[in-house]
PDB file of all heavy atoms in Angstrom:
ATOM      1  N   GLN A 216      -9.211  -3.764  19.123  1.00 94.00           N
ATOM      2  CA  GLN A 216      -8.083  -3.122  19.789  1.00 94.00           C
ATOM      3  C   GLN A 216      -7.108  -2.567  18.750  1.00 94.00           C
ATOM      4  O   GLN A 216      -6.733  -3.262  17.808  1.00 94.00           O
ATOM      5  CB  GLN A 216      -7.368  -4.131  20.687  1.00 94.00           C
ATOM      6  CG  GLN A 216      -8.234  -4.701  21.785  1.00 94.00           C
ATOM      7  CD  GLN A 216      -8.635  -3.653  22.804  1.00 94.00           C
ATOM      8  OE1 GLN A 216      -7.793  -2.881  23.272  1.00 94.00           O
ATOM      9  NE2 GLN A 216      -9.913  -3.608  23.145  1.00 94.00           N
ATOM     10  N   PHE A 217      -6.714  -1.315  18.940  1.00 95.00           N
ATOM     11  CA  PHE A 217      -5.746  -0.707  18.043  1.00 95.00           C
ATOM     12  C   PHE A 217      -4.378  -1.346  18.262  1.00 95.00           C
ATOM     13  O   PHE A 217      -3.899  -1.448  19.393  1.00 95.00           O
ATOM     14  CB  PHE A 217      -5.679   0.797  18.285  1.00 95.00           C
ATOM     15  CG  PHE A 217      -4.656   1.509  17.460  1.00 95.00           C
ATOM     16  CD1 PHE A 217      -4.884   1.778  16.127  1.00 95.00           C
ATOM     17  CD2 PHE A 217      -3.448   1.912  18.029  1.00 95.00           C
ATOM     18  CE1 PHE A 217      -3.939   2.441  15.359  1.00 95.00           C
ATOM     19  CE2 PHE A 217      -2.496   2.572  17.274  1.00 95.00           C
ATOM     20  CZ  PHE A 217      -2.745   2.840  15.935  1.00 95.00           C
ATOM     21  N   VAL A 218      -3.742  -1.806  17.174  1.00 95.00           N
ATOM     22  CA  VAL A 218      -2.442  -2.463  17.269  1.00 95.00           C
ATOM     23  C   VAL A 218      -1.311  -1.494  16.951  1.00 95.00           C
ATOM     24  O   VAL A 218      -0.299  -1.434  17.649  1.00 95.00           O
ATOM     25  CB  VAL A 218      -2.378  -3.688  16.332  1.00 95.00           C
ATOM     26  CG1 VAL A 218      -0.992  -4.320  16.365  1.00 95.00           C
ATOM     27  CG2 VAL A 218      -3.445  -4.705  16.727  1.00 95.00           C
ATOM     28  N   GLY A 219      -1.455  -0.707  15.899  1.00 94.00           N
ATOM     29  CA  GLY A 219      -0.414   0.239  15.543  1.00 94.00           C
ATOM     30  C   GLY A 219      -0.590   0.754  14.135  1.00 94.00           C
ATOM     31  O   GLY A 219      -1.459   0.297  13.387  1.00 94.00           O
ATOM     32  N   THR A 220       0.213   1.726  13.780  1.00 93.00           N
ATOM     33  CA  THR A 220       0.233   2.287  12.434  1.00 93.00           C
ATOM     34  C   THR A 220       1.496   1.810  11.731  1.00 93.00           C
ATOM     35  O   THR A 220       2.574   1.834  12.307  1.00 93.00           O
ATOM     36  CB  THR A 220       0.206   3.821  12.480  1.00 93.00           C
ATOM     37  OG1 THR A 220      -1.009   4.252  13.106  1.00 93.00           O
ATOM     38  CG2 THR A 220       0.273   4.416  11.082  1.00 93.00           C
ATOM     39  N   TYR A 221       1.357   1.347  10.504  1.00 93.00           N
ATOM     40  CA  TYR A 221       2.514   0.857   9.760  1.00 93.00           C
ATOM     41  C   TYR A 221       2.517   1.486   8.371  1.00 93.00           C
ATOM     42  O   TYR A 221       1.553   2.146   7.973  1.00 93.00           O
ATOM     43  CB  TYR A 221       2.509  -0.676   9.668  1.00 93.00           C
ATOM     44  CG  TYR A 221       1.382  -1.278   8.873  1.00 93.00           C
ATOM     45  CD1 TYR A 221       1.498  -1.479   7.498  1.00 93.00           C
ATOM     46  CD2 TYR A 221       0.205  -1.694   9.485  1.00 93.00           C
ATOM     47  CE1 TYR A 221       0.481  -2.053   6.761  1.00 93.00           C
ATOM     48  CE2 TYR A 221      -0.817  -2.274   8.757  1.00 93.00           C
ATOM     49  CZ  TYR A 221      -0.684  -2.447   7.399  1.00 93.00           C
ATOM     50  OH  TYR A 221      -1.704  -3.008   6.679  1.00 93.00           O
ATOM     51  N   PHE A 222       3.609   1.301   7.664  1.00 90.00           N
ATOM     52  CA  PHE A 222       3.668   1.824   6.312  1.00 90.00           C
ATOM     53  C   PHE A 222       4.204   0.772   5.360  1.00 90.00           C
ATOM     54  O   PHE A 222       4.919  -0.143   5.754  1.00 90.00           O
ATOM     55  CB  PHE A 222       4.507   3.109   6.236  1.00 90.00           C
ATOM     56  CG  PHE A 222       5.948   2.955   6.652  1.00 90.00           C
ATOM     57  CD1 PHE A 222       6.900   2.518   5.744  1.00 90.00           C
ATOM     58  CD2 PHE A 222       6.339   3.251   7.945  1.00 90.00           C
ATOM     59  CE1 PHE A 222       8.231   2.394   6.111  1.00 90.00           C
ATOM     60  CE2 PHE A 222       7.672   3.128   8.322  1.00 90.00           C
ATOM     61  CZ  PHE A 222       8.618   2.691   7.409  1.00 90.00           C
ATOM     62  N   ILE A 223       3.826   0.906   4.087  1.00 85.00           N
ATOM     63  CA  ILE A 223       4.262   0.016   3.019  1.00 85.00           C
ATOM     64  C   ILE A 223       5.114   0.824   2.049  1.00 85.00           C
ATOM     65  O   ILE A 223       4.786   1.974   1.720  1.00 85.00           O
ATOM     66  CB  ILE A 223       3.056  -0.615   2.288  1.00 85.00           C
ATOM     67  CG1 ILE A 223       2.251  -1.476   3.264  1.00 85.00           C
ATOM     68  CG2 ILE A 223       3.504  -1.455   1.096  1.00 85.00           C
ATOM     69  CD1 ILE A 223       0.965  -2.027   2.669  1.00 85.00           C
ATOM     70  N   GLY A 224       6.215   0.221   1.588  1.00 85.00           N
ATOM     71  CA  GLY A 224       7.123   0.933   0.696  1.00 85.00           C
ATOM     72  C   GLY A 224       7.897   1.995   1.450  1.00 85.00           C
ATOM     73  O   GLY A 224       8.101   1.912   2.669  1.00 85.00           O
ATOM     74  N   ASP A 225       8.339   3.014   0.747  1.00 87.00           N
ATOM     75  CA  ASP A 225       9.110   4.107   1.332  1.00 87.00           C
ATOM     76  C   ASP A 225       8.151   5.126   1.943  1.00 87.00           C
ATOM     77  O   ASP A 225       8.022   6.263   1.494  1.00 87.00           O
ATOM     78  CB  ASP A 225       9.993   4.754   0.270  1.00 87.00           C
ATOM     79  CG  ASP A 225      10.951   5.800   0.859  1.00 87.00           C
ATOM     80  OD1 ASP A 225      11.076   5.837   2.100  1.00 87.00           O
ATOM     81  OD2 ASP A 225      11.541   6.553   0.078  1.00 87.00           O
ATOM     82  N   ASN A 226       7.428   4.654   2.965  1.00 83.00           N
ATOM     83  CA  ASN A 226       6.430   5.472   3.643  1.00 83.00           C
ATOM     84  C   ASN A 226       5.372   6.002   2.675  1.00 83.00           C
ATOM     85  O   ASN A 226       4.852   7.110   2.825  1.00 83.00           O
ATOM     86  CB  ASN A 226       7.092   6.635   4.382  1.00 83.00           C
ATOM     87  CG  ASN A 226       6.276   7.103   5.576  1.00 83.00           C
ATOM     88  OD1 ASN A 226       5.420   6.375   6.078  1.00 83.00           O
ATOM     89  ND2 ASN A 226       6.527   8.308   6.023  1.00 83.00           N
ATOM     90  N   GLN A 227       5.041   5.185   1.677  1.00 84.00           N
ATOM     91  CA  GLN A 227       4.116   5.623   0.632  1.00 84.00           C
ATOM     92  C   GLN A 227       2.659   5.382   1.006  1.00 84.00           C
ATOM     93  O   GLN A 227       1.764   6.067   0.520  1.00 84.00           O
ATOM     94  CB  GLN A 227       4.441   4.900  -0.683  1.00 84.00           C
ATOM     95  CG  GLN A 227       5.794   5.301  -1.258  1.00 84.00           C
ATOM     96  CD  GLN A 227       6.143   4.474  -2.478  1.00 84.00           C
ATOM     97  OE1 GLN A 227       5.865   3.280  -2.528  1.00 84.00           O
ATOM     98  NE2 GLN A 227       6.764   5.100  -3.458  1.00 84.00           N
ATOM     99  N   LEU A 228       2.397   4.387   1.852  1.00 89.00           N
ATOM    100  CA  LEU A 228       1.033   4.112   2.282  1.00 89.00           C
ATOM    101  C   LEU A 228       1.048   3.795   3.768  1.00 89.00           C
ATOM    102  O   LEU A 228       1.681   2.834   4.203  1.00 89.00           O
ATOM    103  CB  LEU A 228       0.444   2.931   1.516  1.00 89.00           C
ATOM    104  CG  LEU A 228      -0.938   2.454   1.995  1.00 89.00           C
ATOM    105  CD1 LEU A 228      -1.983   3.554   1.773  1.00 89.00           C
ATOM    106  CD2 LEU A 228      -1.351   1.166   1.298  1.00 89.00           C
ATOM    107  N   GLN A 229       0.368   4.616   4.547  1.00 94.00           N
ATOM    108  CA  GLN A 229       0.239   4.364   5.972  1.00 94.00           C
ATOM    109  C   GLN A 229      -1.106   3.713   6.249  1.00 94.00           C
ATOM    110  O   GLN A 229      -2.123   4.073   5.649  1.00 94.00           O
ATOM    111  CB  GLN A 229       0.359   5.660   6.772  1.00 94.00           C
ATOM    112  CG  GLN A 229       1.759   6.236   6.772  1.00 94.00           C
ATOM    113  CD  GLN A 229       1.908   7.384   7.751  1.00 94.00           C
ATOM    114  OE1 GLN A 229       0.918   7.930   8.231  1.00 94.00           O
ATOM    115  NE2 GLN A 229       3.138   7.763   8.040  1.00 94.00           N
ATOM    116  N   ALA A 230      -1.101   2.755   7.150  1.00 94.00           N
ATOM    117  CA  ALA A 230      -2.323   2.041   7.485  1.00 94.00           C
ATOM    118  C   ALA A 230      -2.368   1.778   8.979  1.00 94.00           C
ATOM    119  O   ALA A 230      -1.341   1.695   9.649  1.00 94.00           O
ATOM    120  CB  ALA A 230      -2.406   0.724   6.706  1.00 94.00           C
ATOM    121  N   ASP A 231      -3.576   1.647   9.506  1.00 95.00           N
ATOM    122  CA  ASP A 231      -3.793   1.339  10.910  1.00 95.00           C
ATOM    123  C   ASP A 231      -4.261  -0.105  11.040  1.00 95.00           C
ATOM    124  O   ASP A 231      -5.117  -0.568  10.269  1.00 95.00           O
ATOM    125  CB  ASP A 231      -4.845   2.280  11.507  1.00 95.00           C
ATOM    126  CG  ASP A 231      -4.380   3.727  11.517  1.00 95.00           C
ATOM    127  OD1 ASP A 231      -3.186   3.950  11.760  1.00 95.00           O
ATOM    128  OD2 ASP A 231      -5.215   4.617  11.274  1.00 95.00           O
ATOM    129  N   SER A 232      -3.720  -0.789  12.021  1.00 95.00           N
ATOM    130  CA  SER A 232      -4.014  -2.206  12.223  1.00 95.00           C
ATOM    131  C   SER A 232      -4.803  -2.401  13.515  1.00 95.00           C
ATOM    132  O   SER A 232      -4.525  -1.748  14.529  1.00 95.00           O
ATOM    133  CB  SER A 232      -2.710  -3.003  12.267  1.00 95.00           C
ATOM    134  OG  SER A 232      -2.975  -4.383  12.423  1.00 95.00           O
ATOM    135  N   TYR A 233      -5.780  -3.310  13.467  1.00 95.00           N
ATOM    136  CA  TYR A 233      -6.635  -3.605  14.615  1.00 95.00           C
ATOM    137  C   TYR A 233      -6.779  -5.118  14.756  1.00 95.00           C
ATOM    138  O   TYR A 233      -6.549  -5.870  13.808  1.00 95.00           O
ATOM    139  CB  TYR A 233      -8.039  -2.994  14.421  1.00 95.00           C
ATOM    140  CG  TYR A 233      -8.058  -1.505  14.216  1.00 95.00           C
ATOM    141  CD1 TYR A 233      -7.864  -0.958  12.944  1.00 95.00           C
ATOM    142  CD2 TYR A 233      -8.291  -0.638  15.277  1.00 95.00           C
ATOM    143  CE1 TYR A 233      -7.898   0.409  12.748  1.00 95.00           C
ATOM    144  CE2 TYR A 233      -8.321   0.734  15.082  1.00 95.00           C
ATOM    145  CZ  TYR A 233      -8.132   1.257  13.818  1.00 95.00           C
ATOM    146  OH  TYR A 233      -8.165   2.609  13.618  1.00 95.00           O
ATOM    147  N   SER A 234      -7.209  -5.544  15.921  1.00 95.00           N
ATOM    148  CA  SER A 234      -7.514  -6.958  16.132  1.00 95.00           C
ATOM    149  C   SER A 234      -8.684  -7.091  17.101  1.00 95.00           C
ATOM    150  O   SER A 234      -8.912  -6.223  17.952  1.00 95.00           O
ATOM    151  CB  SER A 234      -6.290  -7.708  16.670  1.00 95.00           C
ATOM    152  OG  SER A 234      -5.962  -7.259  17.969  1.00 95.00           O
ATOM    153  N   TYR A 235      -9.429  -8.185  16.966  1.00 93.00           N
ATOM    154  CA  TYR A 235     -10.544  -8.472  17.873  1.00 93.00           C
ATOM    155  C   TYR A 235     -10.941  -9.935  17.726  1.00 93.00           C
ATOM    156  O   TYR A 235     -10.430 -10.649  16.848  1.00 93.00           O
ATOM    157  CB  TYR A 235     -11.742  -7.564  17.576  1.00 93.00           C
ATOM    158  CG  TYR A 235     -12.441  -7.842  16.265  1.00 93.00           C
ATOM    159  CD1 TYR A 235     -13.609  -8.599  16.210  1.00 93.00           C
ATOM    160  CD2 TYR A 235     -11.945  -7.335  15.069  1.00 93.00           C
ATOM    161  CE1 TYR A 235     -14.242  -8.850  15.005  1.00 93.00           C
ATOM    162  CE2 TYR A 235     -12.572  -7.582  13.867  1.00 93.00           C
ATOM    163  CZ  TYR A 235     -13.728  -8.346  13.846  1.00 93.00           C
ATOM    164  OH  TYR A 235     -14.348  -8.610  12.654  1.00 93.00           O
ATOM    165  N   TYR A 236     -11.832 -10.377  18.587  1.00 94.00           N
ATOM    166  CA  TYR A 236     -12.336 -11.745  18.530  1.00 94.00           C
ATOM    167  C   TYR A 236     -13.759 -11.705  17.996  1.00 94.00           C
ATOM    168  O   TYR A 236     -14.643 -11.072  18.587  1.00 94.00           O
ATOM    169  CB  TYR A 236     -12.308 -12.396  19.912  1.00 94.00           C
ATOM    170  CG  TYR A 236     -12.580 -13.882  19.884  1.00 94.00           C
ATOM    171  CD1 TYR A 236     -11.552 -14.781  19.607  1.00 94.00           C
ATOM    172  CD2 TYR A 236     -13.859 -14.385  20.098  1.00 94.00           C
ATOM    173  CE1 TYR A 236     -11.785 -16.142  19.576  1.00 94.00           C
ATOM    174  CE2 TYR A 236     -14.110 -15.743  20.063  1.00 94.00           C
ATOM    175  CZ  TYR A 236     -13.077 -16.618  19.799  1.00 94.00           C
ATOM    176  OH  TYR A 236     -13.319 -17.970  19.746  1.00 94.00           O
ATOM    177  N   ALA A 237     -13.980 -12.371  16.869  1.00 88.00           N
ATOM    178  CA  ALA A 237     -15.296 -12.381  16.230  1.00 88.00           C
ATOM    179  C   ALA A 237     -16.136 -13.539  16.759  1.00 88.00           C
ATOM    180  O   ALA A 237     -15.618 -14.615  17.074  1.00 88.00           O
ATOM    181  CB  ALA A 237     -15.149 -12.500  14.723  1.00 88.00           C
ATOM    182  N   LYS A 238     -17.435 -13.321  16.820  1.00 86.00           N
ATOM    183  CA  LYS A 238     -18.375 -14.362  17.221  1.00 86.00           C
ATOM    184  C   LYS A 238     -19.720 -14.050  16.584  1.00 86.00           C
ATOM    185  O   LYS A 238     -19.856 -13.053  15.858  1.00 86.00           O
ATOM    186  CB  LYS A 238     -18.489 -14.435  18.743  1.00 86.00           C
ATOM    187  CG  LYS A 238     -18.778 -13.113  19.428  1.00 86.00           C
ATOM    188  CD  LYS A 238     -18.651 -13.225  20.933  1.00 86.00           C
ATOM    189  CE  LYS A 238     -18.859 -11.862  21.601  1.00 86.00           C
ATOM    190  NZ  LYS A 238     -18.722 -11.954  23.081  1.00 86.00           N
ATOM    191  N   ALA A 239     -20.717 -14.897  16.827  1.00 78.00           N
ATOM    192  CA  ALA A 239     -22.034 -14.679  16.233  1.00 78.00           C
ATOM    193  C   ALA A 239     -22.504 -13.246  16.538  1.00 78.00           C
ATOM    194  O   ALA A 239     -22.245 -12.730  17.622  1.00 78.00           O
ATOM    195  CB  ALA A 239     -23.023 -15.697  16.782  1.00 78.00           C
ATOM    196  N   PRO A 240     -23.150 -12.552  15.543  1.00 76.00           N
ATOM    197  CA  PRO A 240     -23.739 -13.090  14.318  1.00 76.00           C
ATOM    198  C   PRO A 240     -22.789 -13.298  13.142  1.00 76.00           C
ATOM    199  O   PRO A 240     -23.243 -13.649  12.047  1.00 76.00           O
ATOM    200  CB  PRO A 240     -24.784 -12.037  13.944  1.00 76.00           C
ATOM    201  CG  PRO A 240     -24.194 -10.756  14.441  1.00 76.00           C
ATOM    202  CD  PRO A 240     -23.469 -11.116  15.707  1.00 76.00           C
ATOM    203  N   SER A 241     -21.504 -13.064  13.320  1.00 79.00           N
ATOM    204  CA  SER A 241     -20.563 -13.368  12.244  1.00 79.00           C
ATOM    205  C   SER A 241     -20.604 -14.859  11.931  1.00 79.00           C
ATOM    206  O   SER A 241     -20.715 -15.686  12.848  1.00 79.00           O
ATOM    207  CB  SER A 241     -19.142 -12.978  12.669  1.00 79.00           C
ATOM    208  OG  SER A 241     -18.197 -13.463  11.745  1.00 79.00           O
ATOM    209  N   PRO A 242     -20.546 -15.256  10.642  1.00 79.00           N
ATOM    210  CA  PRO A 242     -20.536 -16.690  10.302  1.00 79.00           C
ATOM    211  C   PRO A 242     -19.258 -17.400  10.720  1.00 79.00           C
ATOM    212  O   PRO A 242     -19.157 -18.617  10.615  1.00 79.00           O
ATOM    213  CB  PRO A 242     -20.682 -16.691   8.771  1.00 79.00           C
ATOM    214  CG  PRO A 242     -21.252 -15.354   8.434  1.00 79.00           C
ATOM    215  CD  PRO A 242     -20.661 -14.418   9.443  1.00 79.00           C
ATOM    216  N   VAL A 243     -18.253 -16.634  11.190  1.00 85.00           N
ATOM    217  CA  VAL A 243     -16.982 -17.215  11.607  1.00 85.00           C
ATOM    218  C   VAL A 243     -16.659 -16.742  13.019  1.00 85.00           C
ATOM    219  O   VAL A 243     -16.810 -15.558  13.339  1.00 85.00           O
ATOM    220  CB  VAL A 243     -15.846 -16.827  10.646  1.00 85.00           C
ATOM    221  CG1 VAL A 243     -14.514 -17.357  11.144  1.00 85.00           C
ATOM    222  CG2 VAL A 243     -16.127 -17.350   9.240  1.00 85.00           C
ATOM    223  N   GLU A 244     -16.194 -17.660  13.858  1.00 90.00           N
ATOM    224  CA  GLU A 244     -15.748 -17.305  15.204  1.00 90.00           C
ATOM    225  C   GLU A 244     -14.240 -17.479  15.280  1.00 90.00           C
ATOM    226  O   GLU A 244     -13.706 -18.515  14.863  1.00 90.00           O
ATOM    227  CB  GLU A 244     -16.417 -18.184  16.263  1.00 90.00           C
ATOM    228  CG  GLU A 244     -15.958 -17.873  17.679  1.00 90.00           C
ATOM    229  CD  GLU A 244     -16.650 -18.707  18.737  1.00 90.00           C
ATOM    230  OE1 GLU A 244     -17.715 -19.300  18.422  1.00 90.00           O
ATOM    231  OE2 GLU A 244     -16.147 -18.776  19.873  1.00 90.00           O
ATOM    232  N   GLY A 245     -13.544 -16.462  15.814  1.00 93.00           N
ATOM    233  CA  GLY A 245     -12.099 -16.582  15.941  1.00 93.00           C
ATOM    234  C   GLY A 245     -11.412 -15.236  15.975  1.00 93.00           C
ATOM    235  O   GLY A 245     -12.046 -14.176  16.102  1.00 93.00           O
ATOM    236  N   ASN A 246     -10.093 -15.263  15.869  1.00 95.00           N
ATOM    237  CA  ASN A 246      -9.277 -14.054  15.918  1.00 95.00           C
ATOM    238  C   ASN A 246      -9.237 -13.368  14.556  1.00 95.00           C
ATOM    239  O   ASN A 246      -9.018 -14.023  13.533  1.00 95.00           O
ATOM    240  CB  ASN A 246      -7.861 -14.404  16.362  1.00 95.00           C
ATOM    241  CG  ASN A 246      -7.823 -14.940  17.784  1.00 95.00           C
ATOM    242  OD1 ASN A 246      -8.383 -14.338  18.696  1.00 95.00           O
ATOM    243  ND2 ASN A 246      -7.173 -16.077  17.972  1.00 95.00           N
ATOM    244  N   VAL A 247      -9.421 -12.061  14.561  1.00 94.00           N
ATOM    245  CA  VAL A 247      -9.423 -11.268  13.332  1.00 94.00           C
ATOM    246  C   VAL A 247      -8.399 -10.139  13.471  1.00 94.00           C
ATOM    247  O   VAL A 247      -8.402  -9.418  14.471  1.00 94.00           O
ATOM    248  CB  VAL A 247     -10.810 -10.659  13.045  1.00 94.00           C
ATOM    249  CG1 VAL A 247     -10.773  -9.817  11.759  1.00 94.00           C
ATOM    250  CG2 VAL A 247     -11.864 -11.748  12.949  1.00 94.00           C
ATOM    251  N   SER A 248      -7.532 -10.019  12.484  1.00 95.00           N
ATOM    252  CA  SER A 248      -6.636  -8.872  12.365  1.00 95.00           C
ATOM    253  C   SER A 248      -6.947  -8.192  11.040  1.00 95.00           C
ATOM    254  O   SER A 248      -7.052  -8.861  10.015  1.00 95.00           O
ATOM    255  CB  SER A 248      -5.168  -9.312  12.393  1.00 95.00           C
ATOM    256  OG  SER A 248      -4.845  -9.947  13.614  1.00 95.00           O
ATOM    257  N   PHE A 249      -7.113  -6.897  11.062  1.00 94.00           N
ATOM    258  CA  PHE A 249      -7.426  -6.189   9.817  1.00 94.00           C
ATOM    259  C   PHE A 249      -6.763  -4.828   9.807  1.00 94.00           C
ATOM    260  O   PHE A 249      -6.395  -4.274  10.853  1.00 94.00           O
ATOM    261  CB  PHE A 249      -8.938  -6.055   9.626  1.00 94.00           C
ATOM    262  CG  PHE A 249      -9.614  -5.119  10.589  1.00 94.00           C
ATOM    263  CD1 PHE A 249      -9.853  -3.793  10.248  1.00 94.00           C
ATOM    264  CD2 PHE A 249     -10.018  -5.556  11.839  1.00 94.00           C
ATOM    265  CE1 PHE A 249     -10.470  -2.925  11.131  1.00 94.00           C
ATOM    266  CE2 PHE A 249     -10.631  -4.704  12.736  1.00 94.00           C
ATOM    267  CZ  PHE A 249     -10.859  -3.384  12.384  1.00 94.00           C
ATOM    268  N   SER A 250      -6.591  -4.287   8.600  1.00 95.00           N
ATOM    269  CA  SER A 250      -5.961  -2.991   8.420  1.00 95.00           C
ATOM    270  C   SER A 250      -6.789  -2.124   7.482  1.00 95.00           C
ATOM    271  O   SER A 250      -7.441  -2.626   6.561  1.00 95.00           O
ATOM    272  CB  SER A 250      -4.549  -3.151   7.843  1.00 95.00           C
ATOM    273  OG  SER A 250      -3.704  -3.829   8.746  1.00 95.00           O
ATOM    274  N   VAL A 251      -6.747  -0.827   7.756  1.00 95.00           N
ATOM    275  CA  VAL A 251      -7.372   0.171   6.882  1.00 95.00           C
ATOM    276  C   VAL A 251      -6.362   1.286   6.666  1.00 95.00           C
ATOM    277  O   VAL A 251      -5.446   1.489   7.475  1.00 95.00           O
ATOM    278  CB  VAL A 251      -8.666   0.742   7.502  1.00 95.00           C
ATOM    279  CG1 VAL A 251      -9.719  -0.335   7.645  1.00 95.00           C
ATOM    280  CG2 VAL A 251      -8.388   1.396   8.859  1.00 95.00           C
ATOM    281  N   THR A 252      -6.509   2.023   5.560  1.00 95.00           N
ATOM    282  CA  THR A 252      -5.596   3.137   5.321  1.00 95.00           C
ATOM    283  C   THR A 252      -5.742   4.167   6.434  1.00 95.00           C
ATOM    284  O   THR A 252      -6.834   4.395   6.971  1.00 95.00           O
ATOM    285  CB  THR A 252      -5.870   3.801   3.967  1.00 95.00           C
ATOM    286  OG1 THR A 252      -7.236   4.258   3.929  1.00 95.00           O
ATOM    287  CG2 THR A 252      -5.622   2.837   2.831  1.00 95.00           C
TER     288      THR A 252
END
């Protein structure tokens, strides 16, 4: 799920944030939040 777009510093790096629930085949089950540029 898309969470939002944020920035670091004086708007120098914008990134998009997402979240989801991981399960098998992932070796870890649980809540995941991650960001990409």
Side-chain angles (χ1 to χ4, degrees):
Q216 299 294 313
F217 177 77
V218 176
T220 298
Y221 66 88
F222 61 85
I223 297 174
D225 187 12
N226 207 19
Q227 293 174 322
L228 174 64
Q229 290 190 345
D231 295 323
S232 182
Y233 302 85
S234 66
Y235 69 99
Y236 190 83
K238 52 189 176 181
S241 170
V243 176
E244 179 178 343
N246 295 310
V247 179
S248 298
F249 69 95
S250 296
V251 296
T252 58

